[in-house]
Amino acid sequence: MVMSRMEPITQLRMGEAVVTAVKPPHNEPKVRAKAVSVFYGDKQALFDVSLDMPEKAVTALIGPSGCGKSTFLRCMNRMNDTIEGCRVVGEIEIDGEDINQKSIDPVLLRARVGMVFQKPNPFPKTIFDNVAYGARIHGLASSKKEMEEIVEKSLERAGLWNEVKDRLHAPGTSLSGGQQQRLVIARAIAVSPEIILMDEPCSALDPIATAKIEELIDELRSNYCIVIVTHSMAQAARVSQHTAFFHLGKLIETGQTEMIFTNPRDPRTQDYITGRFG
C-alpha cells in the first residue's frame, strides 16, 4: 500500500501486519456533533455522541457490529430521515450551521455531503451517465461540453479515467467491483461535495481493489472532510488521522489515530484494539 503525502511517525504492530500511523493535521472542525442521540421507535441506538471531524482529514469510526457507527454516519446527511420511526436529537453542525433545522433542504444537504455505501451501487446507466447524474439534477452544467468536463474531472479524481475513457457509454455495472466503487466515488464528487461519508467502502472488495480505494481516500482528503466506518483496524490506522471508538451506542474515546492505537485511555478501547472482543 502506497502512503502518498502522509508523514509516517510510528509503526503499529497489529497481529502479523505492521501498519504505519500518520501525523494528523491541525484543522478546525468541518463537522461538529453535539449530544446526538438516535431512537428507532422506543429503542435508543445512539447515546449523547459529541464528536468533531476536521476539514481535509479522514476520521475513522471503529467498533464492533451494532455499536452505532453507521447510525451516526447517516446522521450527517440526514439519511435517518428516510427511516420510519427514527428520531434524532442533538445538533450536527457543518461550518457552524445546524443541518437539522427545518429550513435545511435534505436534497441540497446530500449534494454537500456525499455518501459511499458498503456495496458498490452504480445506477443501471452508462459510466458517463452515472457520473453525470447528480450534476444534471443540480444543474451544474450549462452545456454538453461542461458536462463532459465534469465527468472527466470526476473520473480522474477517482482514479478511474484512464481505465474507462474509451468505454464511457458501456454500462457502469460492466466494471469490476473495485472499479464500480471508484465509479460511485466519482459520482459523489461530481456534485462538488464538501464532505464524503464512506460506510465500509472496502468490505466487498479484494485486497488489490481495497489498496486502490485506500490510496484514493488519501488523495481525496486534501480536498474533503472524509468520515469512514470500518471494521478493519489496520485500515483505520492506514487511512485516518483521527479515530473514534464506539461501543453499545456510545462514543467511548476519540483522538489522533496514533494515540488511539498505541496509547488508548479507556480499557474498553484497549480491549477492542487488542482483539479481546469485537
Side-chain angles (χ1 to χ4, degrees):
M1 172 63 199
V2 177
M3 303 294 292
S4 58
R5 298 196 309 278
M6 294 201 282
E7 182 183 350
I9 51 178
T10 189
Q11 287 190 318
L12 318 176
R13 187 168 294 277
M14 303 176 65
E16 296 300 318
V18 175
V19 295
T20 304
V22 295
K23 185 179 292 185
H26 299 284
N27 294 329
E28 288 299 311
K30 175 72 173 178
V31 185
R32 175 165 277 170
K34 300 177 181 177
V36 173
S37 295
V38 177
F39 301 82
Y40 295 110
D42 295 330
K43 181 184 176 185
Q44 187 167 358
L46 216 58
F47 298 81
D48 295 315
V49 172
S50 296
L51 179 64
D52 290 349
M53 287 145 280
E55 174 75 286
K56 295 183 179 179
V58 180
T59 300
L61 311 182
I62 64 171
S65 296
C67 68
K69 306 183 298 294
S70 294
T71 295
F72 178 68
L73 196 74
R74 289 194 299 268
C75 290
M76 285 181 269
N77 66 352
R78 286 180 53 177
M79 282 198 67
N80 287 319
D81 289 8
T82 64
I83 301 173
E84 188 175 352
C86 182
R87 181 167 57 93
V88 179
V89 299
E91 295 180 7
I92 293 184
E93 296 178 352
I94 296 178
D95 293 332
E97 182 179 35
D98 185 2
I99 66 170
N100 289 315
Q101 297 178 80
K102 290 184 178 178
S103 59
I104 299 293
D105 183 340
V107 175
L108 296 179
L109 172 67
R110 289 169 197 146
R112 295 176 64 195
V113 185
M115 184 86 173
V116 177
F117 294 94
Q118 184 172 5
K119 185 178 179 184
N121 61 339
F123 298 143
K125 297 175 179 287
T126 66
I127 294 168
F128 184 97
D129 286 339
N130 261 275
V131 182
Y133 182 81
R136 283 198 181 111
I137 287 202
H138 294 286
L140 301 182
S142 58
S143 67
K144 180 181 178 184
K145 186 173 186 250
E146 278 190 19
M147 183 62 74
E148 289 172 348
E149 289 172 353
I150 288 172
V151 170
E152 180 175 347
K153 182 179 178 183
S154 300
L155 288 168
E156 282 180 345
R157 295 180 86 172
L160 194 56
W161 173 251
N162 288 334
E163 296 171 45
V164 302
K165 61 184 178 182
D166 297 324
R167 48 178 177 144
L168 292 175
H169 299 292
T173 52
S174 68
L175 299 174
S176 70
Q179 288 175 324
Q180 286 186 28
Q181 195 66 301
R182 282 183 284 150
L183 177 64
V184 170
I185 293 171
R187 187 176 72 199
I189 62 182
V191 295
S192 300
E194 301 164 37
I195 299 156
I196 301 176
L197 309 178
M198 297 185 168
D199 193 356
E200 296 274 5
C202 301
S203 65
L205 305 181
D206 61 63
I208 293 174
T210 294
K212 286 186 177 181
I213 296 292
E214 289 181 0
E215 191 169 355
L216 174 58
I217 291 169
D218 176 38
E219 292 168 0
L220 291 175
R221 75 179 176 89
S222 62
N223 292 299
Y224 303 97
C225 167
I226 299 176
V227 186
I228 180 172
V229 168
T230 178
H231 279 295
S232 168
M233 287 178 284
Q235 181 174 79
R238 284 193 298 264
V239 304
S240 73
Q241 292 73 54
H242 301 265
T243 296
F245 170 59
F246 285 73
H247 184 50
L248 297 177
K250 297 179 181 178
L251 175 61
I252 303 301
E253 185 169 356
T254 183
Q256 297 176 0
T257 295
E258 181 210 3
M259 182 274 292
I260 292 292
F261 281 100
T262 61
N263 190 29
R265 297 182 299 271
D266 193 288
R268 288 168 293 183
T269 311
Q270 178 70 33
D271 287 346
Y272 182 71
I273 295 293
T274 56
R276 289 178 191 159
F277 74 91

PDB file of all heavy atoms in Angstrom, residues 38-40 71 73-89 92 99-102 104-107 109-110:
ATOM      1  N   VAL A  38     -29.986   8.909  18.895  1.00  0.00           N
ATOM      2  CA  VAL A  38     -30.879   8.419  17.841  1.00  0.00           C
ATOM      3  C   VAL A  38     -31.786   7.347  18.430  1.00  0.00           C
ATOM      4  O   VAL A  38     -31.322   6.449  19.148  1.00  0.00           O
ATOM      5  CB  VAL A  38     -30.082   7.856  16.641  1.00  0.00           C
ATOM      6  CG1 VAL A  38     -31.032   7.282  15.595  1.00  0.00           C
ATOM      7  CG2 VAL A  38     -29.200   8.933  16.018  1.00  0.00           C
ATOM      8  N   PHE A  39     -33.074   7.444  18.100  1.00  0.00           N
ATOM      9  CA  PHE A  39     -34.074   6.483  18.566  1.00  0.00           C
ATOM     10  C   PHE A  39     -34.768   5.853  17.373  1.00  0.00           C
ATOM     11  O   PHE A  39     -35.147   6.542  16.427  1.00  0.00           O
ATOM     12  CB  PHE A  39     -35.122   7.182  19.439  1.00  0.00           C
ATOM     13  CG  PHE A  39     -34.571   7.867  20.656  1.00  0.00           C
ATOM     14  CD1 PHE A  39     -34.011   9.140  20.562  1.00  0.00           C
ATOM     15  CD2 PHE A  39     -34.588   7.244  21.902  1.00  0.00           C
ATOM     16  CE1 PHE A  39     -33.497   9.775  21.678  1.00  0.00           C
ATOM     17  CE2 PHE A  39     -34.081   7.878  23.028  1.00  0.00           C
ATOM     18  CZ  PHE A  39     -33.527   9.145  22.917  1.00  0.00           C
ATOM     19  N   TYR A  40     -34.931   4.527  17.405  1.00  0.00           N
ATOM     20  CA  TYR A  40     -35.775   3.814  16.452  1.00  0.00           C
ATOM     21  C   TYR A  40     -36.999   3.361  17.221  1.00  0.00           C
ATOM     22  O   TYR A  40     -36.977   2.345  17.924  1.00  0.00           O
ATOM     23  CB  TYR A  40     -35.041   2.619  15.857  1.00  0.00           C
ATOM     24  CG  TYR A  40     -33.842   2.992  15.017  1.00  0.00           C
ATOM     25  CD1 TYR A  40     -32.547   2.728  15.460  1.00  0.00           C
ATOM     26  CD2 TYR A  40     -33.989   3.612  13.777  1.00  0.00           C
ATOM     27  CE1 TYR A  40     -31.439   3.074  14.694  1.00  0.00           C
ATOM     28  CE2 TYR A  40     -32.894   3.947  13.004  1.00  0.00           C
ATOM     29  CZ  TYR A  40     -31.625   3.678  13.469  1.00  0.00           C
ATOM     30  OH  TYR A  40     -30.526   4.028  12.707  1.00  0.00           O
ATOM     31  N   THR A  71     -25.185   4.284  12.088  1.00  0.00           N
ATOM     32  CA  THR A  71     -26.288   5.156  12.501  1.00  0.00           C
ATOM     33  C   THR A  71     -25.798   6.589  12.638  1.00  0.00           C
ATOM     34  O   THR A  71     -26.440   7.537  12.170  1.00  0.00           O
ATOM     35  CB  THR A  71     -26.889   4.673  13.833  1.00  0.00           C
ATOM     36  OG1 THR A  71     -27.491   3.396  13.641  1.00  0.00           O
ATOM     37  CG2 THR A  71     -27.931   5.646  14.360  1.00  0.00           C
ATOM     38  N   LEU A  73     -23.110   7.869  11.201  1.00  0.00           N
ATOM     39  CA  LEU A  73     -22.722   8.352   9.873  1.00  0.00           C
ATOM     40  C   LEU A  73     -23.938   8.901   9.119  1.00  0.00           C
ATOM     41  O   LEU A  73     -23.866   9.957   8.491  1.00  0.00           O
ATOM     42  CB  LEU A  73     -22.080   7.208   9.085  1.00  0.00           C
ATOM     43  CG  LEU A  73     -21.278   7.590   7.839  1.00  0.00           C
ATOM     44  CD1 LEU A  73     -19.945   8.207   8.228  1.00  0.00           C
ATOM     45  CD2 LEU A  73     -21.043   6.366   6.950  1.00  0.00           C
ATOM     46  N   ARG A  74     -25.056   8.180   9.207  1.00  0.00           N
ATOM     47  CA  ARG A  74     -26.262   8.583   8.482  1.00  0.00           C
ATOM     48  C   ARG A  74     -26.888   9.861   9.035  1.00  0.00           C
ATOM     49  O   ARG A  74     -27.696  10.503   8.359  1.00  0.00           O
ATOM     50  CB  ARG A  74     -27.304   7.451   8.488  1.00  0.00           C
ATOM     51  CG  ARG A  74     -26.915   6.260   7.623  1.00  0.00           C
ATOM     52  CD  ARG A  74     -28.103   5.333   7.396  1.00  0.00           C
ATOM     53  NE  ARG A  74     -28.619   4.787   8.638  1.00  0.00           N
ATOM     54  CZ  ARG A  74     -28.236   3.631   9.168  1.00  0.00           C
ATOM     55  NH1 ARG A  74     -27.319   2.903   8.569  1.00  0.00           N
ATOM     56  NH2 ARG A  74     -28.752   3.206  10.306  1.00  0.00           N
ATOM     57  N   CYS A  75     -26.507  10.231  10.250  1.00  0.00           N
ATOM     58  CA  CYS A  75     -27.000  11.497  10.801  1.00  0.00           C
ATOM     59  C   CYS A  75     -26.435  12.692  10.038  1.00  0.00           C
ATOM     60  O   CYS A  75     -27.061  13.755   9.980  1.00  0.00           O
ATOM     61  CB  CYS A  75     -26.602  11.632  12.277  1.00  0.00           C
ATOM     62  SG  CYS A  75     -27.444  10.512  13.410  1.00  0.00           S
ATOM     63  N   MET A  76     -25.266  12.520   9.448  1.00  0.00           N
ATOM     64  CA  MET A  76     -24.561  13.662   8.857  1.00  0.00           C
ATOM     65  C   MET A  76     -25.094  14.074   7.493  1.00  0.00           C
ATOM     66  O   MET A  76     -24.739  15.141   6.990  1.00  0.00           O
ATOM     67  CB  MET A  76     -23.054  13.372   8.802  1.00  0.00           C
ATOM     68  CG  MET A  76     -22.392  13.491  10.163  1.00  0.00           C
ATOM     69  SD  MET A  76     -20.633  13.187  10.111  1.00  0.00           S
ATOM     70  CE  MET A  76     -20.592  11.432  10.411  1.00  0.00           C
ATOM     71  N   ASN A  77     -25.914  13.219   6.865  1.00  0.00           N
ATOM     72  CA  ASN A  77     -26.607  13.671   5.650  1.00  0.00           C
ATOM     73  C   ASN A  77     -28.112  13.431   5.751  1.00  0.00           C
ATOM     74  O   ASN A  77     -28.816  13.415   4.755  1.00  0.00           O
ATOM     75  CB  ASN A  77     -26.030  13.006   4.393  1.00  0.00           C
ATOM     76  CG  ASN A  77     -26.267  11.507   4.363  1.00  0.00           C
ATOM     77  OD1 ASN A  77     -26.729  10.925   5.346  1.00  0.00           O
ATOM     78  ND2 ASN A  77     -25.959  10.879   3.246  1.00  0.00           N
ATOM     79  N   ARG A  78     -28.564  13.246   6.974  1.00  0.00           N
ATOM     80  CA  ARG A  78     -29.991  13.100   7.301  1.00  0.00           C
ATOM     81  C   ARG A  78     -30.645  11.928   6.583  1.00  0.00           C
ATOM     82  O   ARG A  78     -31.838  11.953   6.285  1.00  0.00           O
ATOM     83  CB  ARG A  78     -30.734  14.413   7.036  1.00  0.00           C
ATOM     84  CG  ARG A  78     -30.406  15.458   8.096  1.00  0.00           C
ATOM     85  CD  ARG A  78     -31.114  16.769   7.896  1.00  0.00           C
ATOM     86  NE  ARG A  78     -32.559  16.651   7.744  1.00  0.00           N
ATOM     87  CZ  ARG A  78     -33.380  17.705   7.621  1.00  0.00           C
ATOM     88  NH1 ARG A  78     -32.887  18.925   7.652  1.00  0.00           N
ATOM     89  NH2 ARG A  78     -34.667  17.521   7.470  1.00  0.00           N
ATOM     90  N   MET A  79     -29.870  10.872   6.340  1.00  0.00           N
ATOM     91  CA  MET A  79     -30.471   9.680   5.750  1.00  0.00           C
ATOM     92  C   MET A  79     -31.383   8.973   6.728  1.00  0.00           C
ATOM     93  O   MET A  79     -32.260   8.201   6.328  1.00  0.00           O
ATOM     94  CB  MET A  79     -29.385   8.730   5.248  1.00  0.00           C
ATOM     95  CG  MET A  79     -28.796   9.172   3.928  1.00  0.00           C
ATOM     96  SD  MET A  79     -27.926   7.865   3.092  1.00  0.00           S
ATOM     97  CE  MET A  79     -29.250   6.748   2.677  1.00  0.00           C
ATOM     98  N   ASN A  80     -31.187   9.232   8.025  1.00  0.00           N
ATOM     99  CA  ASN A  80     -32.100   8.645   9.008  1.00  0.00           C
ATOM    100  C   ASN A  80     -33.514   9.198   8.855  1.00  0.00           C
ATOM    101  O   ASN A  80     -34.481   8.596   9.332  1.00  0.00           O
ATOM    102  CB  ASN A  80     -31.591   8.898  10.429  1.00  0.00           C
ATOM    103  CG  ASN A  80     -30.377   8.050  10.759  1.00  0.00           C
ATOM    104  OD1 ASN A  80     -30.319   6.883  10.413  1.00  0.00           O
ATOM    105  ND2 ASN A  80     -29.389   8.632  11.420  1.00  0.00           N
ATOM    106  N   ASP A  81     -33.648  10.350   8.174  1.00  0.00           N
ATOM    107  CA  ASP A  81     -34.984  10.912   7.933  1.00  0.00           C
ATOM    108  C   ASP A  81     -35.851   9.958   7.124  1.00  0.00           C
ATOM    109  O   ASP A  81     -37.085  10.014   7.194  1.00  0.00           O
ATOM    110  CB  ASP A  81     -34.875  12.228   7.147  1.00  0.00           C
ATOM    111  CG  ASP A  81     -34.294  13.368   7.977  1.00  0.00           C
ATOM    112  OD1 ASP A  81     -33.843  13.099   9.111  1.00  0.00           O
ATOM    113  OD2 ASP A  81     -34.300  14.514   7.492  1.00  0.00           O
ATOM    114  N   THR A  82     -35.202   9.099   6.329  1.00  0.00           N
ATOM    115  CA  THR A  82     -35.955   8.204   5.439  1.00  0.00           C
ATOM    116  C   THR A  82     -36.423   6.933   6.154  1.00  0.00           C
ATOM    117  O   THR A  82     -37.121   6.117   5.555  1.00  0.00           O
ATOM    118  CB  THR A  82     -35.090   7.807   4.232  1.00  0.00           C
ATOM    119  OG1 THR A  82     -33.956   7.038   4.684  1.00  0.00           O
ATOM    120  CG2 THR A  82     -34.570   9.041   3.497  1.00  0.00           C
ATOM    121  N   ILE A  83     -36.024   6.762   7.417  1.00  0.00           N
ATOM    122  CA  ILE A  83     -36.389   5.558   8.169  1.00  0.00           C
ATOM    123  C   ILE A  83     -37.585   5.866   9.058  1.00  0.00           C
ATOM    124  O   ILE A  83     -37.510   6.747   9.931  1.00  0.00           O
ATOM    125  CB  ILE A  83     -35.194   5.061   9.017  1.00  0.00           C
ATOM    126  CG1 ILE A  83     -34.004   4.744   8.113  1.00  0.00           C
ATOM    127  CG2 ILE A  83     -35.595   3.831   9.833  1.00  0.00           C
ATOM    128  CD1 ILE A  83     -32.741   4.401   8.877  1.00  0.00           C
ATOM    129  N   GLU A  84     -38.669   5.159   8.844  1.00  0.00           N
ATOM    130  CA  GLU A  84     -39.887   5.412   9.616  1.00  0.00           C
ATOM    131  C   GLU A  84     -39.655   5.132  11.094  1.00  0.00           C
ATOM    132  O   GLU A  84     -39.057   4.122  11.473  1.00  0.00           O
ATOM    133  CB  GLU A  84     -41.027   4.521   9.094  1.00  0.00           C
ATOM    134  CG  GLU A  84     -42.375   4.849   9.705  1.00  0.00           C
ATOM    135  CD  GLU A  84     -43.512   4.050   9.087  1.00  0.00           C
ATOM    136  OE1 GLU A  84     -43.271   3.350   8.070  1.00  0.00           O
ATOM    137  OE2 GLU A  84     -44.634   4.125   9.629  1.00  0.00           O
ATOM    138  N   GLY A  85     -40.087   6.054  11.931  1.00  0.00           N
ATOM    139  CA  GLY A  85     -39.955   5.889  13.373  1.00  0.00           C
ATOM    140  C   GLY A  85     -38.615   6.290  13.927  1.00  0.00           C
ATOM    141  O   GLY A  85     -38.391   6.186  15.136  1.00  0.00           O
ATOM    142  N   CYS A  86     -37.712   6.768  13.047  1.00  0.00           N
ATOM    143  CA  CYS A  86     -36.387   7.184  13.527  1.00  0.00           C
ATOM    144  C   CYS A  86     -36.446   8.641  13.970  1.00  0.00           C
ATOM    145  O   CYS A  86     -37.010   9.501  13.280  1.00  0.00           O
ATOM    146  CB  CYS A  86     -35.341   7.005  12.435  1.00  0.00           C
ATOM    147  SG  CYS A  86     -33.677   7.430  12.972  1.00  0.00           S
ATOM    148  N   ARG A  87     -35.829   8.911  15.113  1.00  0.00           N
ATOM    149  CA  ARG A  87     -35.812  10.272  15.665  1.00  0.00           C
ATOM    150  C   ARG A  87     -34.394  10.612  16.094  1.00  0.00           C
ATOM    151  O   ARG A  87     -33.727   9.827  16.779  1.00  0.00           O
ATOM    152  CB  ARG A  87     -36.781  10.355  16.852  1.00  0.00           C
ATOM    153  CG  ARG A  87     -36.882  11.717  17.512  1.00  0.00           C
ATOM    154  CD  ARG A  87     -38.080  11.761  18.454  1.00  0.00           C
ATOM    155  NE  ARG A  87     -38.020  10.716  19.466  1.00  0.00           N
ATOM    156  CZ  ARG A  87     -37.483  10.875  20.682  1.00  0.00           C
ATOM    157  NH1 ARG A  87     -36.967  12.036  21.038  1.00  0.00           N
ATOM    158  NH2 ARG A  87     -37.488   9.878  21.543  1.00  0.00           N
ATOM    159  N   VAL A  88     -33.929  11.782  15.665  1.00  0.00           N
ATOM    160  CA  VAL A  88     -32.577  12.241  16.001  1.00  0.00           C
ATOM    161  C   VAL A  88     -32.692  13.487  16.862  1.00  0.00           C
ATOM    162  O   VAL A  88     -33.403  14.432  16.510  1.00  0.00           O
ATOM    163  CB  VAL A  88     -31.764  12.557  14.722  1.00  0.00           C
ATOM    164  CG1 VAL A  88     -30.372  13.064  15.090  1.00  0.00           C
ATOM    165  CG2 VAL A  88     -31.668  11.329  13.826  1.00  0.00           C
ATOM    166  N   VAL A  89     -31.990  13.488  18.001  1.00  0.00           N
ATOM    167  CA  VAL A  89     -31.936  14.690  18.843  1.00  0.00           C
ATOM    168  C   VAL A  89     -30.486  15.115  18.982  1.00  0.00           C
ATOM    169  O   VAL A  89     -29.556  14.345  18.720  1.00  0.00           O
ATOM    170  CB  VAL A  89     -32.580  14.439  20.229  1.00  0.00           C
ATOM    171  CG1 VAL A  89     -34.039  14.067  20.092  1.00  0.00           C
ATOM    172  CG2 VAL A  89     -31.830  13.359  21.000  1.00  0.00           C
ATOM    173  N   ILE A  92     -26.054  18.631  14.828  1.00  0.00           N
ATOM    174  CA  ILE A  92     -24.910  18.354  13.957  1.00  0.00           C
ATOM    175  C   ILE A  92     -24.695  19.594  13.103  1.00  0.00           C
ATOM    176  O   ILE A  92     -25.593  20.003  12.349  1.00  0.00           O
ATOM    177  CB  ILE A  92     -25.136  17.120  13.069  1.00  0.00           C
ATOM    178  CG1 ILE A  92     -25.193  15.860  13.938  1.00  0.00           C
ATOM    179  CG2 ILE A  92     -24.032  16.990  12.027  1.00  0.00           C
ATOM    180  CD1 ILE A  92     -25.321  14.578  13.182  1.00  0.00           C
ATOM    181  N   ILE A  99     -27.612  21.255  10.688  1.00  0.00           N
ATOM    182  CA  ILE A  99     -28.235  20.670   9.497  1.00  0.00           C
ATOM    183  C   ILE A  99     -29.628  20.125   9.778  1.00  0.00           C
ATOM    184  O   ILE A  99     -30.357  19.776   8.844  1.00  0.00           O
ATOM    185  CB  ILE A  99     -27.356  19.558   8.879  1.00  0.00           C
ATOM    186  CG1 ILE A  99     -27.253  18.361   9.836  1.00  0.00           C
ATOM    187  CG2 ILE A  99     -25.991  20.102   8.500  1.00  0.00           C
ATOM    188  CD1 ILE A  99     -26.612  17.132   9.196  1.00  0.00           C
ATOM    189  N   ASN A 100     -30.028  20.043  11.053  1.00  0.00           N
ATOM    190  CA  ASN A 100     -31.355  19.510  11.380  1.00  0.00           C
ATOM    191  C   ASN A 100     -32.424  20.587  11.455  1.00  0.00           C
ATOM    192  O   ASN A 100     -33.578  20.294  11.786  1.00  0.00           O
ATOM    193  CB  ASN A 100     -31.298  18.742  12.703  1.00  0.00           C
ATOM    194  CG  ASN A 100     -30.548  17.426  12.560  1.00  0.00           C
ATOM    195  OD1 ASN A 100     -30.770  16.681  11.606  1.00  0.00           O
ATOM    196  ND2 ASN A 100     -29.651  17.143  13.487  1.00  0.00           N
ATOM    197  N   GLN A 101     -32.056  21.830  11.138  1.00  0.00           N
ATOM    198  CA  GLN A 101     -33.059  22.878  11.091  1.00  0.00           C
ATOM    199  C   GLN A 101     -34.082  22.585   9.986  1.00  0.00           C
ATOM    200  O   GLN A 101     -33.731  22.038   8.946  1.00  0.00           O
ATOM    201  CB  GLN A 101     -32.408  24.233  10.798  1.00  0.00           C
ATOM    202  CG  GLN A 101     -31.438  24.725  11.861  1.00  0.00           C
ATOM    203  CD  GLN A 101     -30.826  26.043  11.429  1.00  0.00           C
ATOM    204  OE1 GLN A 101     -31.436  27.096  11.570  1.00  0.00           O
ATOM    205  NE2 GLN A 101     -29.614  25.976  10.880  1.00  0.00           N
ATOM    206  N   LYS A 102     -35.323  23.001  10.214  1.00  0.00           N
ATOM    207  CA  LYS A 102     -36.368  22.769   9.217  1.00  0.00           C
ATOM    208  C   LYS A 102     -36.087  23.511   7.915  1.00  0.00           C
ATOM    209  O   LYS A 102     -36.572  23.124   6.848  1.00  0.00           O
ATOM    210  CB  LYS A 102     -37.726  23.179   9.778  1.00  0.00           C
ATOM    211  CG  LYS A 102     -38.218  22.251  10.889  1.00  0.00           C
ATOM    212  CD  LYS A 102     -39.615  22.632  11.352  1.00  0.00           C
ATOM    213  CE  LYS A 102     -40.104  21.667  12.428  1.00  0.00           C
ATOM    214  NZ  LYS A 102     -41.452  22.039  12.936  1.00  0.00           N
ATOM    215  N   ILE A 104     -33.341  23.647   6.354  1.00  0.00           N
ATOM    216  CA  ILE A 104     -32.335  22.955   5.545  1.00  0.00           C
ATOM    217  C   ILE A 104     -33.018  21.932   4.641  1.00  0.00           C
ATOM    218  O   ILE A 104     -33.746  21.052   5.120  1.00  0.00           O
ATOM    219  CB  ILE A 104     -31.297  22.248   6.441  1.00  0.00           C
ATOM    220  CG1 ILE A 104     -30.559  23.266   7.321  1.00  0.00           C
ATOM    221  CG2 ILE A 104     -30.305  21.452   5.598  1.00  0.00           C
ATOM    222  CD1 ILE A 104     -29.681  24.226   6.568  1.00  0.00           C
ATOM    223  N   ASP A 105     -32.786  22.036   3.345  1.00  0.00           N
ATOM    224  CA  ASP A 105     -33.341  21.090   2.372  1.00  0.00           C
ATOM    225  C   ASP A 105     -32.463  19.838   2.352  1.00  0.00           C
ATOM    226  O   ASP A 105     -31.279  19.922   2.005  1.00  0.00           O
ATOM    227  CB  ASP A 105     -33.360  21.748   0.987  1.00  0.00           C
ATOM    228  CG  ASP A 105     -33.999  20.854  -0.075  1.00  0.00           C
ATOM    229  OD1 ASP A 105     -34.092  19.628   0.136  1.00  0.00           O
ATOM    230  OD2 ASP A 105     -34.400  21.390  -1.128  1.00  0.00           O
ATOM    231  N   PRO A 106     -33.003  18.669   2.732  1.00  0.00           N
ATOM    232  CA  PRO A 106     -32.170  17.457   2.764  1.00  0.00           C
ATOM    233  C   PRO A 106     -31.556  17.107   1.411  1.00  0.00           C
ATOM    234  O   PRO A 106     -30.452  16.569   1.357  1.00  0.00           O
ATOM    235  CB  PRO A 106     -33.145  16.362   3.222  1.00  0.00           C
ATOM    236  CG  PRO A 106     -34.248  17.090   3.906  1.00  0.00           C
ATOM    237  CD  PRO A 106     -34.366  18.408   3.221  1.00  0.00           C
ATOM    238  N   VAL A 107     -32.249  17.425   0.313  1.00  0.00           N
ATOM    239  CA  VAL A 107     -31.711  17.117  -1.014  1.00  0.00           C
ATOM    240  C   VAL A 107     -30.449  17.941  -1.278  1.00  0.00           C
ATOM    241  O   VAL A 107     -29.428  17.425  -1.743  1.00  0.00           O
ATOM    242  CB  VAL A 107     -32.770  17.375  -2.105  1.00  0.00           C
ATOM    243  CG1 VAL A 107     -32.159  17.178  -3.495  1.00  0.00           C
ATOM    244  CG2 VAL A 107     -33.960  16.440  -1.912  1.00  0.00           C
ATOM    245  N   LEU A 109     -28.612  19.281   1.060  1.00  0.00           N
ATOM    246  CA  LEU A 109     -27.620  18.829   2.040  1.00  0.00           C
ATOM    247  C   LEU A 109     -26.856  17.627   1.499  1.00  0.00           C
ATOM    248  O   LEU A 109     -25.631  17.552   1.631  1.00  0.00           O
ATOM    249  CB  LEU A 109     -28.323  18.459   3.354  1.00  0.00           C
ATOM    250  CG  LEU A 109     -27.429  17.787   4.408  1.00  0.00           C
ATOM    251  CD1 LEU A 109     -26.373  18.752   4.923  1.00  0.00           C
ATOM    252  CD2 LEU A 109     -28.278  17.238   5.557  1.00  0.00           C
ATOM    253  N   ARG A 110     -27.576  16.694   0.859  1.00  0.00           N
ATOM    254  CA  ARG A 110     -26.924  15.472   0.376  1.00  0.00           C
ATOM    255  C   ARG A 110     -26.030  15.742  -0.830  1.00  0.00           C
ATOM    256  O   ARG A 110     -25.207  14.890  -1.177  1.00  0.00           O
ATOM    257  CB  ARG A 110     -27.974  14.401   0.082  1.00  0.00           C
ATOM    258  CG  ARG A 110     -28.579  13.861   1.375  1.00  0.00           C
ATOM    259  CD  ARG A 110     -29.800  13.005   1.175  1.00  0.00           C
ATOM    260  NE  ARG A 110     -30.513  12.879   2.446  1.00  0.00           N
ATOM    261  CZ  ARG A 110     -31.826  12.801   2.561  1.00  0.00           C
ATOM    262  NH1 ARG A 110     -32.583  12.846   1.473  1.00  0.00           N
ATOM    263  NH2 ARG A 110     -32.380  12.701   3.744  1.00  0.00           N
TER     264      ARG A 110
END
